[in-house]
Amino acid sequence: MIGRKVAFLGASKGMGRALARRLAARGDRLFLLGRDVEDLGRSARDLEARAGEGAAPVGVTLCDLERPETFVPALDAAAAGLGGLDTVVVTGGMFATQEKLEADPELARRLLTVDFANTVVFCEEARRRLLAQGGGTLCVFSSVAGERGRKPVVLYGAAKAGLTRYLEGLDHKFRAQGLRTVCVKPGFVRTGMTEGLRPPPFAGEPDGVALQVCRAIDRGHPVVYAPGIWSLIMLVIRWLPRFVMRKIGF
Ligand SMILES: NC(=O)c1ccc[n+]([C@@H]2O[C@H](COP(=O)([O-])OP(=O)(O)OC[C@H]3O[C@@H](n4cnc5c(N)ncnc54)[C@H](OP(=O)(O)O)[C@@H]3O)[C@@H](O)[C@H]2O)c1
């Protein structure tokens, strides 16, 4: 479906930017949510240019995943700006290495709050709105890091595991009422978030992920591994016995 009305949290960088560009270029209408409104304004101008002449302006508003009080006003502003909402996309999130998180309990608390608790609170607000109007699409970026307890991502992976389970529960409970939940599980993708980390041979690029996610949104796929090779990698990882997981560094 083209011509969606999309509230987009996290379009300023990385995979979010690539996905927002693809949606804007094909004719969807976007309203950007994020914590740096000035920067969002620049992203909005970029998206308007990609949408071409005569396209509707792209609105922006404050929404900070560390400040839940910004969620309701942000979704209100998006719904007012777009004249209703049928799609909500969340790519915003935090990452830090396991080493840094173990050394800094405050950083760990912030990451667990942003990537799990507050993302769920934001999604609950989005879910209520979409269901109230008969349904819609909620597309949220989780991670393959949530598939199994793994040494390099104990804390980040725990937050994403919780988020993945929440999205699965939403899909089971509300799909029949018209809520299409799309849980994106990126593997390693080259963005600012992974800068400085050693990429594996099957690392992905934001544009490739954006294409996959766009299709999944249109088809209502509940789970997307991106790049797709990660579905096979995680199939193996899910079946590895615990004694093997204790030995390997993956
Ligand atoms: N890259 C990977 O390999 C990978 C793998 C698995 C999962 N993921 C997940 O995929 C999603 C997108 O990742 P990415 O690699 O594209 O990341 P990125 O390039 O670092 O972009 C992260 C986005 O999150 C936003 N954000 C961060 N903290 C926020 C907050 N408190 N409130 C609102 N927005 C906030 C950033 O906005 P600002 O401009 O304000 O910083 C930015 O738009 C994330 O959920 C990430 O956990 C990524």
Side-chain angles (χ1 to χ4, degrees), residues 87-100:
T87 306
V88 177
V89 177
V90 183
T91 60
M94 258 177 96
F95 176 79
T97 61
Q98 179 62 19
E99 205 178 31
K100 278 197 179 139

Side-chain angles (χ1 to χ4, degrees), residues 8 15-23 89 91 141 210 213-214 217:
F8 202 125
M15 288 183 270
R17 178 159 55 193
L19 178 58
R21 284 177 171 175
R22 181 166 283 276
L23 296 175
V89 177
T91 60
F141 278 51
V213 175
C214 219
I217 287 175

